[in-house]
Amino acid sequence: MSITEKIKRKLSRFEISTKITFGYAACFIALLILINAAMWFGVMNALYRPAENTIIYSISQIENVLEELEENYEDFKPGTFRGALVTGVVLRVVDKDGVVFIDTDKKYPSLERFEENILDAPPIFSRDDFKIAQIRNALIYRAEVEYVHEGEVFKLYFFRTITSELKLFEELERILVALDILGVIIAMFVGRYLSKRILNPIQTMNELAREIAFEKMGGRIPVENANDELGELAKTLNKMLDRLQGGINKQQKFVSDASHELRTPAAVIKGYIEFIEHYGTEDKELLEENLKMIGSEAQNMQALLENLLFISRTDQNRQKLNKKALDLDDIIGDVMQKMKVAIKTHEVELTSNEPAKIFGDEITIRQMIRIFLDNAVKYTPAGGSIKVGSKVDGNKILVSISDSGIGIAPENLDKIFDRFFRVGSEQLVSEANGSGLGLSIAKWIADAHKIKISVASELGKGTTFTLTIPINSQ
Ligand code: ADP
């Protein structure tokens, strides 16, 4: 495992606030280092280097003086040189025998004393061509230049005490280090405080989320500042809870509606059985009639259960569709033929059935057409007519199922596809019995095949459902 991975692993164990605190402190330290470096170089260039440069400058001045003095050996005296030296710089000239014969400051420590006290480790930033000695508290810098006059070699020593500049420089270093430590401590505290403050709402969210349960979905996360990211998160979570609650409510309603629907046929069957028990089986005619009713209720119950199972499969994304190229005209022709045989109470007519290929699952497509046809029969009094027509329109097929039945009130048109929705029974034709699931199933099948359903209806006159089905392009 690489070091970065190890660090990441270690960091992942810390809480977010600690990570923010460390991150913040790290940035702050980096910034401090940058500022310190800038100040260090600034002070070095503004104070320390100029002090060193006074020596360099004095050397060049003295070299000029020496050039001018070339022939006048007798002018080699301290007074001649003093004026050329920058204040603070001391000059000593030594002849070939090591005798000092020019000294611009007699009180300055002697050459021997300087030699004895030369530092083995001079400050790293000082120039290499300088020798530095520490005498008492003072740091003395020395530069050396050779001068040859009439074959004789003289040594010129330039001295300068750079103690105050250096002290200031070192003092500054100490102050910077102290400030850095203080800064880091403050950064840690401020970082900790800020991160805690920022993360506080998350804590609240966490506590609330822990309280929310299936039976206790009412709670919502307080939105403190709607415009910041945490406010956004709170709003998103609240919306998610709204959706979940909506889903749960729907589910609970579905279970209660389904149980309610199943209770009715069960109660009816129980009633017929009690009737038989009470009146006995002597009367064959009555018995047969009752058994017929029981059979019919059981059939209703079975149909209802089939529908409930279908819906539960679609809710769980378990409803299988085996889509392939289909001849819609064949399906419509077949369904209508069976319908004509089964329905004698109504006039059933196939007005047109243009050849058309679609891409879909045959079983559910048939189921969907049957739902519309069954409804047309259920909601059209005996003697009424049911017409089916299928026409190709561009790359679509329009299938219409019309009846001359009771119609649907305009205010109910957008509700008929809801689960368990049924128009009040007083408006229904007597034999109509349904559970209000048919159209919601038809809608699911239509959506799964990108089929559009439109309804036109007038109360007392009849209803037309039109299915717009895409033609199979493959
Ligand atoms: P149901 O099992 O009650 O028929 P559906 O979901 O198939 O349930 O239909 C929902 C409601 O829409 C029906 O109860 C009925 O009121 C209305 N409806 C559906 N088709 C027709 C139609 N062809 N004519 C009149 N009303 C209809």
Side-chain angles (χ1 to χ4, degrees):
M1 201 192 302
S2 72
I3 292 185
T4 43
E5 268 173 37
K6 271 187 192 164
I7 294 175
K8 266 190 199 160
R9 222 176 212 204
K10 282 239 152 70
L11 267 178
S12 66
R13 289 202 203 114
F14 287 122
E15 15 172 89
I16 295 180
S17 62
T18 316
K19 285 184 204 166
I20 293 179
T21 309
F22 277 121
Y24 182 72
C27 290
F28 198 75
I29 291 169
L31 191 72
L32 277 179
I33 290 173
L34 268 179
I35 294 173
N36 286 359
M39 279 175 81
W40 195 82
F41 280 108
V43 171
M44 175 141 109
N45 286 324
L47 286 172
Y48 177 76
R49 288 271 178 250
E52 278 187 346
N53 286 342
T54 54
I55 302 177
I56 313 280
Y57 185 66
S58 299
I59 294 174
S60 71
Q61 290 277 92
I62 294 296
E63 278 170 346
N64 287 344
V65 171
L66 287 173
E67 249 171 60
E68 279 168 26
L69 289 182
E70 197 62 43
E71 299 307 320
N72 308 314
Y73 192 64
E74 57 280 6
D75 276 345
F76 260 58
K77 47 187 188 256
T80 319
F81 297 105
R82 227 173 252 134
L85 294 171
V86 180
T87 325
V89 179
V90 173
L91 171 67
R92 268 183 198 148
V93 185
V94 178
D95 66 14
K96 63 175 190 326
D97 304 320
V99 177
V100 177
F101 75 96
I102 288 178
D103 189 354
T104 58
D105 187 349
K106 294 241 165 29
K107 284 186 228 116
Y108 219 67
S110 69
L111 274 175
E112 293 73 31
R113 192 149 175 231
F114 184 89
E115 292 291 340
E116 282 162 17
N117 290 293
I118 284 178
L119 292 177
D120 295 332
I124 39 158
F125 39 83
S126 61
R127 291 171 59 113
D128 295 341
D129 47 353
F130 287 173
K131 288 258 176 310
I132 301 165
Q134 180 162 13
I135 298 171
R136 290 215 196 93
N137 275 334
L139 275 179
I140 299 172
Y141 282 52
R142 188 189 78 183
E144 206 178 308
V145 177
E146 274 187 356
Y147 174 66
V148 184
H149 181 73
E150 291 176 353
E152 232 184 284
V153 182
F154 296 92
K155 275 210 170 134
L156 277 67
Y157 292 109
F158 294 82
F159 297 89
R160 190 191 190 290
T161 312
I162 305 195
T163 313
S164 59
E165 287 84 354
L166 204 69
K167 282 266 145 61
L168 193 84
F169 193 47
E170 281 168 359
E171 191 61 28
L172 180 87
E173 271 181 343
R174 271 196 292 277
I175 291 174
L176 286 181
V177 169
L179 278 180
D180 286 357
I181 294 170
L182 191 74
V184 169
I185 293 171
I186 291 175
M188 299 278 266
F189 274 109
V190 172
R192 184 110 198 123
Y193 169 76
L194 283 180
S195 60
K196 285 264 176 221
R197 240 192 95 129
I198 293 168
L199 295 174
N200 228 4
I202 292 188
Q203 192 66 26
T204 322
M205 283 182 202
N206 190 19
E207 278 159 21
L208 211 120
R210 230 176 271 156
E211 280 171 22
I212 291 171
F214 184 75
E215 338 56 64
K216 233 174 106 192
M217 288 286 289
R220 290 295 178 269
I221 296 159
V223 182
E224 282 182 12
N225 184 356
N227 297 323
D228 66 12
E229 288 85 346
L230 286 176
E232 280 295 318
L233 178 66
K235 278 195 279 180
T236 309
L237 287 176
N238 283 344
K239 274 190 202 143
M240 184 190 79
L241 286 173
D242 288 345
R243 281 200 303 276
L244 281 178
Q245 193 175 16
I248 289 171
N249 288 349
K250 241 169 127 182
Q251 204 70 30
Q252 283 171 339
K253 188 173 177 302
F254 179 77
V255 172
S256 99
D257 286 347
S259 336
H260 185 78
E261 290 299 327
L262 283 169
R263 214 166 56 186
T264 315
V268 173
I269 290 172
K270 196 166 160 252
Y272 283 124
I273 291 171
E274 278 170 3
F275 187 85
I276 294 171
E277 278 171 353
H278 192 258
Y279 291 99
T281 53
E282 302 299 295
D283 188 338
K284 286 272 174 247
E285 209 177 307
L286 201 65
L287 181 67
E288 253 171 47
E289 199 183 312
N290 273 320
L291 285 176
K292 210 173 129 200
M293 298 310 260
I294 289 172
S296 144
E297 276 309 319
Q299 213 175 339
N300 282 345
M301 206 171 181
Q302 197 181 7
L304 174 62
L305 280 172
E306 292 296 338
N307 283 345
L308 286 174
L309 284 173
F310 187 96
I311 285 182
S312 118
R313 279 198 301 273
T314 61
D315 281 353
Q316 294 169 29
N317 278 334
R318 279 195 301 116
Q319 176 58 39
K320 287 204 179 71
L321 294 177
N322 181 17
K323 287 188 186 175
K324 51 184 189 229
L326 302 172
D327 288 310
L328 184 67
D329 45 316
D330 285 354
I331 296 174
I332 292 179
D334 184 53
V335 172
M336 288 304 283
Q337 203 183 350
K338 286 183 179 140
M339 176 96 179
K340 274 184 187 165
V341 175
I343 304 294
K344 297 288 174 214
T345 46
H346 297 69
E347 189 192 317
V348 180
E349 194 187 341
L350 180 58
T351 54
S352 61
N353 192 14
E354 292 182 4
K357 285 221 182 291
I358 61 163
F359 187 72
D361 170 61
E362 184 168 350
I363 296 176
T364 49
I365 292 280
R366 275 176 185 270
Q367 190 182 354
M368 177 181 70
I369 297 172
R370 283 299 305 257
I371 289 170
F372 289 110
L373 286 174
D374 286 351
N375 277 351
V377 176
K378 269 198 291 187
Y379 303 110
T380 303
S385 78
I386 293 154
K387 287 187 178 132
V388 175
S390 170
K391 280 194 173 124
V392 174
D393 178 17
N395 56 354
K396 305 254 156 64
I397 310 152
L398 303 182
V399 178
S400 61
I401 300 128
S402 313
D403 63 59
S404 59
I406 58 170
I408 304 163
E411 68 270 19
N412 290 331
L413 275 180
D414 55 346
K415 295 189 207 134
I416 53 173
F417 294 98
D418 293 348
R419 286 178 187 178
F420 296 108
F421 177 81
R422 268 183 296 173
V423 176
S425 55
E426 68 282 356
Q427 290 179 38
L428 297 180
V429 248
S430 58
E431 61 268 31
N433 48 9
S435 55
L437 291 176
L439 285 184
S440 68
I441 290 174
K443 176 86 170 62
W444 185 90
I445 297 170
D447 288 346
H449 288 87
K450 297 198 170 59
I451 296 172
K452 205 180 122 240
I453 306 174
S454 54
V455 207
S457 187
E458 208 178 317
L459 272 181
K461 291 221 164 133
T463 306
T464 300
F465 283 92
T466 307
L467 312 180
T468 309
I469 309 174
I471 284 183
N472 182 21
S473 51
Q474 288 163 7

